[in-house]
Amino acid sequence: MKTLSLFGATGSIGQSTLKLVDEHPDQFSVSVMSAHSNYEKLAQLAKEYQPDLVVIADSQYERALAACLLGTSIRVTSGADALCEAARIPVDCVVAGIVGFAGLMPVRAAVQAGQIIALANKETLVVAGHLIMPLAATSGATLLPVDSEHNAIAQCLVGARDEDINKVVLTASGGPFRDLSRTQMHHATKEQALLHPNWLMGQKITIDSATMMNKGLELIEAAWLFGLGSDRLDALIHPQSIVHGMVSYCDGSWLAHMGPADMRVPLSHALGYPRRLAWQAERLDLVQIARLDFQSVCHEQFPCFGMAKSVIGTDPADAVTLNAANEVAVSHFLSGKIPFGKIAEQVDTILSQKRLGSANGFDDILSLDQEVRKLARSVI
Ligand code: NAD
Ligand code: MG
């Protein structure tokens, strides 16, 4: 029986994780569950999965959550520090499924505690890869990538030496606007942008997929995970989303990972680690799929992709800036304050300004993130 701590239990990654738990009640038990503010859903999940502890990030809902769980033995806590404390509780696997910058500090706490972490939250490595990777090396923590491309690549890299690797290639579906020009997508509605062709995910990552910022963030994530510079990293649009990642080796071999577009595939790899976890996965029918297409990403069409790629190898403060500017712009788009096309423009405006701080330590990153958010909110 493996014990799990599930951060972001109410989200898309949380739900996919729980579906795998449902298939294997004899193999997994959930010790900790967290959510941001949806206390009703968290309480309902807690009653079903009986964790020892639930944490609601927004403290104003702690009482309501506790009231829902009255009469159970489930402990209730709230707030940012409580999340970090929960991340340090020893378990067999910490699933990091919080979205955005908010995922950083709980992941840091889990890394400090030397845990095995199924890392879905890509923003952690985007903003703090330069601190998290060495911290994991010292504490003995294991980072198992859950982002499908990185999970795919990690599988293709087993046994590889650095000098063997020519290139690591992530695939991208191209999102809902793959075939539109920048002008055509400028006034795309929220509904259109949220209509991802291949994956069902949370809102933030779905918008990032439509701008292709997601693929840019993933290149940064890959740079830290696999220790590669941008010269050995690339992304290709692959509309079928069957191949998730590829590695080109010095001897002419390419290893590619294929699978259905279902996050339970990479999640099961991380949950089962170091073994493979059998589950009722859709079987790929390659005859029916018949063809796999690839095309390069057009930087003019998707400027967010190029902006993110350009911060690989520069001062880490740039990635913090890019990430915060993007989180604010995406939330402004989702709340109807700016048109779709403005997301890229706003990130560009903020990224071209003088750096607002450094990213030398976690405290620097937290305050830089705040400064950039302040500026980004004033830009609209
Ligand atoms: P989501 O919006 O569906 O869920 C986010 C979860 O985080 C929710 O449980 C929410 O309550 C919690 N949360 C939100 N804000 C928080 C805060 N301030 N403090 C604490 N908790 C907070 O998001 P998702 O699609 O599940 O994505 C989660 C992460 O996984 C993201 O970083 C995303 O990039 C990554 N990821 C997701 C997918 C996917 O298929 N959904 C695929 C690859 C990577
Ligand atoms: Mg991905």
Side-chain angles (χ1 to χ4, degrees):
M1 185 71 106
K2 278 192 181 180
T3 51
L4 306 178
S5 285
L6 182 50
F7 289 84
T10 53
S12 163
I13 289 290
Q15 297 302 292
S16 295
T17 307
L18 291 174
K19 280 189 200 157
L20 287 169
V21 171
D22 291 342
E23 275 199 40
H24 301 282
D26 53 326
Q27 289 190 48
F28 300 104
S29 74
V30 185
S31 304
V32 176
M33 285 179 140
S34 91
H36 177 236
S37 51
N38 191 343
Y39 69 89
E40 284 166 321
K41 188 163 176 188
L42 183 58
Q44 179 213 320
L45 292 173
K47 284 180 189 157
E48 192 176 342
Y49 293 93
Q50 294 291 320
D52 305 320
L53 171 69
V54 288
V55 190
I56 188 96
D58 189 334
S59 294
Q60 66 174 305
Y61 300 106
E62 181 178 339
R63 268 196 184 181
L65 176 62
C68 294
L69 295 175
L70 211 66
T72 72
S73 59
I74 303 167
R75 205 155 61 82
V76 177
T77 61
S78 73
D81 291 343
L83 272 179
C84 294
E85 232 170 82
R88 289 192 196 98
I89 297 172
V91 283
D92 294 311
C93 183
V94 174
V95 180
I98 292 177
V99 62
F101 187 85
L104 171 64
M105 295 312 269
V107 171
R108 178 180 85 147
V111 171
Q112 277 173 331
Q115 309 252 41
I116 294 178
I117 302 154
L119 185 67
N121 176 277
K122 67 193 73 185
E123 293 87 353
T124 290
L125 289 181
V126 169
V127 301
H130 59 299
L131 302 175
I132 291 285
M133 296 309 289
L135 191 60
T138 330
S139 73
T142 305
L143 293 172
L144 301 172
V146 166
D147 212 344
S148 54
E149 300 75 5
H150 306 72
N151 181 272
I153 290 159
Q155 294 194 46
C156 296
L157 279 173
V158 171
R161 296 172 313 165
D162 182 69
E163 60 266 38
D164 300 337
I165 305 164
N166 266 350
K167 203 149 210 140
V168 160
V169 181
L170 289 74
T171 61
S173 68
F177 306 143
R178 189 182 63 223
D179 301 318
L180 300 188
S181 70
R182 247 174 107 175
T183 323
Q184 286 170 321
M185 68 178 96
H186 187 84
H187 286 291
T189 63
K190 180 175 154 180
E191 288 68 31
Q192 289 167 326
L194 285 175
L195 211 65
H196 196 283
N198 302 354
W199 297 91
L200 201 63
M201 311 178 285
Q203 290 203 336
K204 193 261 178 183
I205 183 177
T206 305
I207 301 304
D208 283 347
S209 300
T211 61
M212 289 202 69
M213 178 61 90
N214 183 51
K215 211 48 53 182
L217 298 178
E218 289 184 356
L219 286 182
I220 305 174
E221 184 188 10
W224 290 119
L225 273 173
F226 309 123
L228 299 168
S230 63
D231 55 324
R232 286 198 288 173
L233 287 169
D234 212 346
L236 288 176
I237 291 183
H238 166 50
Q240 292 93 351
S241 294
I242 297 295
V243 175
H244 302 291
M246 300 176 253
V247 178
S248 142
Y249 282 98
C250 57
D251 61 356
S253 291
W254 282 68
L255 296 191
H257 167 284
M258 297 194 287
D262 184 329
M263 285 309 289
R264 285 174 294 177
V265 176
L267 273 166
S268 65
H269 182 257
L271 293 186
Y273 180 84
R275 301 225 174 93
R276 288 206 183 255
L277 181 71
W279 65 283
Q280 297 300 317
E282 175 201 333
R283 301 284 162 223
L284 278 188
D285 183 342
L286 290 176
V287 174
Q288 192 174 2
I289 294 162
R291 54 183 281 180
L292 301 172
D293 297 292
F294 299 94
Q295 63 194 69
S296 48
V297 183
C298 170
H299 287 230
E300 153 56 26
Q301 187 188 8
F302 295 110
C304 287
F305 174 75
M307 277 187 261
K309 192 170 184 189
S310 76
V311 306
I312 297 175
T314 71
D315 187 314
D318 294 336
V320 178
T321 306
L322 171 98
N323 182 68
N326 181 57
E327 287 193 22
V328 173
V330 169
S331 102
H332 282 168
F333 169 67
L334 285 171
S335 59
K337 292 195 182 102
I338 57 168
F340 182 79
K342 276 267 177 197
I343 298 175
E345 286 175 30
Q346 289 200 353
V347 176
D348 188 36
T349 304
I350 289 166
L351 203 57
S352 346
Q353 301 198 5
K354 196 163 98 7
R355 287 187 189 119
L356 293 175
S358 75
N360 297 335
F362 285 96
D363 288 342
D364 301 324
I365 293 175
L366 292 176
S367 62
L368 175 57
D369 173 77
Q370 283 303 315
E371 287 305 311
V372 177
R373 278 169 202 266
K374 247 189 265 166
L375 175 66
R377 287 193 200 102
S378 71
V379 170
I380 54 162

